[in-house]
Amino acid sequence: MSNPSLFQPLSPRDIADLVAEQPLAWIVSGAAGELSATPLPVQVECDADGHPLHLLGHFARSNPQWRAFADDPRATVLLIGPHGYVSPSWFADRTRAPTWNYATAIFDVDIELHDTPEDADRLLRGLTDDMERGRPGAWSIEEMGERYASLRKGVVGFQAHVRAARATFKLGQDERDDVFDDILRGLWDTRQHTLAAWMRRFDGGRGADAIAAIEPRAKPLDPEIAGFIDSVIAEGRRITAGRELDWPERREIVEQVRRPWCEGGPVPARTEEIFADTRHGPVRLRIHDPAPGTAKPTLAFLHGGGWAMFSLDTHDRVMRELAARAGVAVVGIDYALSPEVRYPVALEQVIDVVRWLQDNGAAHGFDASRLALGGDSAGGNLSTGAVLKLRDIGEGERIAAVLSYYAGFTPDCSPHSRRRYGTDEDMLTAKEVDTFWNYYISRPADRNSPYTHGLLAELEGLPPYFIGIGECDVLAEQNLAMAGKLLASGVDVEVKLYRGAPHSFIEAVAVSSVARQALEDGAAFLRRRFGLGRAVAAAHG
């Protein structure tokens, strides 16, 4: 290490974040030649400035190491974070030597044992809550039932008082700028993104363009849609004011922010709300019928919002636009939202509503033989999951067409799509994609179900599709991949890429010609599938 002073923390939070990201550490104690060492997960408690004060953890009661702390509380805690070999094969200058980048922390501590049931309970719950937070189908200690009491008896808690903390962040600070950039690109190319992120944290701005230089840059947003996006994001941030919100509070804010954008547009001759019976109880439906009194094709519409937000109200104008432009009845389905309700409940509600519409549609002016299913974002995901499930249970003929706008077809956004269109300044961030998926599915295996992860499904025998894609959307890649897979499976597909359009862009219909064109294209698809002429009500304000 040529200059250790280069590799010091920039702030106390660097050490705390390292522990939070990589909590498994070695607890080392004893005299030379008689050392004891145990790998244990630890949590860190910091003062107001972020300096580590305590490390919290627990030993198995059967581990003899903990007993020695009653006589000598001193120990060393060793933690190694992200690390990786740096190959000269990544460098333009191949005369450079190989090296290893890493982040480590060493704590000199005094161990204070906390050996009561209450101590064990507090420490076990704290660690479990931290590790389970945000996971799909997060587990809680209560699920152990009576077994938890015996497990709790088998551990001895401790609080390690930090006497000194030392950390080394050897992350390329001593490299030439060109070599530093080559290392960043090499880590990116070999998918070592965690180590690359820590390098960026310590690069002082040097690596800002290193990765961007090897991938296409984000395309500019359509100016009309950009105004909508900027307004929605800014208003949401203003109302939120930096507060941590629970899901009901988040929903209230997004409803408030989007309310002005739903105003105006076509007014159907008939709007009515009814309820459909499903295996999970009644589900509210909102009907927009442009021409009551005659049986007509119907679009069952599912709003987006990551399965966790939005409503029939946030997407009311979109539904009215489609009804007017296509000349079909549009029925919005008020499916249950996560995380309170998780997969497969919403999907099963959609399937049951499809059956209900065909059994009861005639009484409401619907032609049950001409039923399309569609939606945007999470609604597009539910549409595909439903037609796959209906096909697999022998009821595929129920749906005649699928209308899908920028749907989620896989939980896995590529690194490039995340960097280009999933940033904190985008309408849908890559972090939000991860959060929405984790709160929708019930367990990790659900990520690989064909009814959630459409790109893993066999697609033969599905009805015709229209896929509308925003060019500047973090989900654009997976929508293009899905279109290709549908075509390869013999499914009739119409796909259109809308230049300069981000995620959620059809919601900007009040101000965006691109959004209006996308809705018109979807309506034209429905008219063709159902043999309808151009809707008289398509021209509107």
Side-chain angles (χ1 to χ4, degrees):
M1 192 180 302
S2 59
N3 186 357
S5 64
L6 285 175
F7 309 128
Q8 299 308 299
L10 300 176
S11 78
R13 287 305 320 173
D14 294 330
I15 299 177
D17 289 347
L18 186 65
V19 177
E21 184 177 293
Q22 176 52 64
L24 191 67
W26 285 98
I27 315 299
V28 183
S29 61
E34 299 179 352
L35 289 177
S36 296
T38 302
L40 293 174
V42 296
Q43 295 175 284
V44 63
E45 291 182 334
C46 300
D47 64 18
D49 296 322
H51 294 94
L53 293 176
H54 309 109
L55 299 177
L56 308 177
H58 60 274
F59 287 95
R61 191 171 294 279
S62 58
N63 184 340
Q65 184 180 7
W66 68 269
R67 298 183 183 278
F69 291 122
D71 297 323
D72 184 357
R74 291 174 299 174
T76 300
V77 179
L78 306 174
L79 183 145
I80 185 165
H83 59 92
Y85 173 71
V86 175
S87 170
S89 68
W90 300 345
F91 304 156
D93 178 3
R94 292 173 69 96
T95 67
R96 306 290 296 181
T99 187
W100 206 280
N101 279 7
Y102 57 84
T104 62
I106 302 173
F107 301 90
D108 297 322
V109 301
D110 292 323
I111 299 285
E112 178 183 338
L113 298 174
H114 287 206
D115 191 12
T116 69
E118 293 75 20
D119 291 326
D121 184 66
R122 176 175 56 86
L123 291 164
L124 289 171
R125 288 181 183 275
L127 179 63
T128 300
D129 289 348
D130 266 5
M131 299 307 296
E132 289 291 323
R133 187 174 296 113
R135 292 178 181 268
W139 179 85
S140 66
I141 279 177
E142 282 72 23
E143 295 179 69
M144 285 193 71
E146 296 179 358
R147 292 186 60 236
Y148 175 60
S150 60
L151 179 146
R152 186 177 60 186
K153 292 177 182 177
V155 303
V156 177
F158 68 83
Q159 181 182 61
H161 301 270
V162 177
R163 289 186 283 108
R166 308 181 296 283
T168 301
F169 294 90
K170 183 180 179 295
L171 299 169
Q173 296 94 322
D174 58 342
E175 303 286 2
R176 290 188 335 233
D177 286 355
D178 61 316
V179 174
F180 185 90
D181 287 356
D182 285 343
I183 294 173
L184 266 184
R185 285 190 285 265
L187 292 173
W188 187 261
D189 291 337
T190 56
R191 302 296 188 261
Q192 298 180 72
H193 299 121
T194 300
L195 182 56
W198 276 91
M199 284 186 62
R200 289 300 317 279
R201 182 167 176 159
F202 282 79
D203 70 5
R206 281 200 297 163
D209 296 325
I211 296 173
I214 62 171
E215 64 180 1
R217 295 184 181 273
K219 300 292 182 66
L221 293 185
D222 176 87
E224 293 174 336
I225 303 176
F228 162 76
I229 299 298
D230 291 344
S231 172
V232 167
I233 292 177
E235 183 66 6
R237 288 175 177 170
R238 184 190 68 80
I239 298 173
T240 302
R243 294 172 293 152
E244 288 292 327
L245 305 176
D246 60 22
W247 283 104
E249 290 170 327
R250 294 187 203 185
R251 292 175 193 135
E252 182 179 343
I253 287 174
V254 298
E255 294 281 332
Q256 182 178 343
V257 167
R258 278 168 165 75
R259 192 169 296 124
W261 299 96
C262 293
E263 297 173 354
V267 179
R270 167 181 166 239
T271 293
E272 179 185 3
E273 291 195 353
I274 59 176
F275 286 85
D277 294 326
T278 76
R279 74 193 83 174
H280 299 291
V283 170
R284 182 170 62 114
L285 309 180
R286 181 175 296 173
I287 302 169
H288 290 305
D289 188 343
T294 59
K296 63 185 64 61
T298 301
L299 168 66
F301 187 87
L302 302 158
H303 66 79
W307 307 280
M309 298 188 298
F310 300 167
S311 67
L312 299 180
D313 293 331
T314 61
H315 283 63
D316 189 73
R317 176 156 183 179
V318 166
M319 292 190 291
R320 287 185 281 117
E321 293 277 353
L322 287 168
R325 292 171 181 275
V328 302
V330 174
V331 179
I333 302 175
D334 190 25
Y335 60 88
L337 300 179
S338 63
E340 293 90 340
V341 175
R342 294 177 181 254
Y343 173 82
V345 172
L347 180 63
E348 291 174 346
Q349 288 177 323
V350 174
I351 290 169
D352 290 350
V353 168
V354 166
R355 292 168 173 157
W356 187 92
L357 287 172
Q358 293 193 318
D359 292 341
N360 301 275
H364 300 279
F366 310 145
D367 180 350
S369 67
R370 294 186 291 174
L371 178 62
L373 188 59
D376 70 316
S377 196
N381 173 280
L382 286 169
S383 299
T384 292
V387 293
L388 284 165
K389 187 67 173 180
L390 287 167
R391 179 203 63 185
D392 292 347
I393 60 177
E395 300 179 31
E397 76 287 346
R398 290 185 181 274
I399 301 299
V402 177
L403 177 64
S404 179
Y405 291 102
Y406 42 80
F409 291 115
T410 169
D412 304 315
C413 297
S414 76
H416 290 301
S417 68
R418 286 171 173 267
R419 279 186 56 85
R420 293 179 73 191
Y421 300 121
T423 73
D424 289 342
E425 301 305 314
D426 287 302
M427 189 63 166
L428 176 66
T429 73
K431 291 178 182 178
E432 287 175 326
V433 173
D434 296 338
T435 297
F436 288 142
W437 274 95
N438 283 342
Y439 281 121
Y440 173 55
I441 60 178
S442 298
R443 54 199 179 97
D446 294 336
R447 290 172 62 96
N448 295 321
S449 166
Y451 307 122
T452 63
H453 192 155
L455 278 175
L456 295 183
E458 298 296 330
L459 304 179
E460 288 79 4
L462 294 188
Y465 262 73
F466 175 89
I467 297 181
I469 306 172
E471 177 188 34
C472 303
D473 183 0
V474 68
L475 305 186
E477 285 184 357
Q478 55 187 264
N479 275 260
L480 290 165
M482 188 64 170
K485 186 168 182 179
L486 285 163
L487 285 168
S489 301
V491 178
D492 186 355
V493 181
E494 296 182 29
V495 58
K496 186 165 181 180
L497 183 72
Y498 295 93
R499 299 294 181 187
H503 198 75
S504 296
F505 76 94
I506 62 172
E507 296 176 56
V509 61
V511 294
S512 166
S513 58
V514 173
R516 290 191 288 273
Q517 185 61 56
L519 291 171
E520 180 59 32
D521 292 339
F525 165 77
L526 294 175
R527 295 196 301 268
R528 287 192 296 274
R529 299 314 311 178
F530 294 134
L532 302 174
R534 182 172 178 82
V536 174
H540 55 274

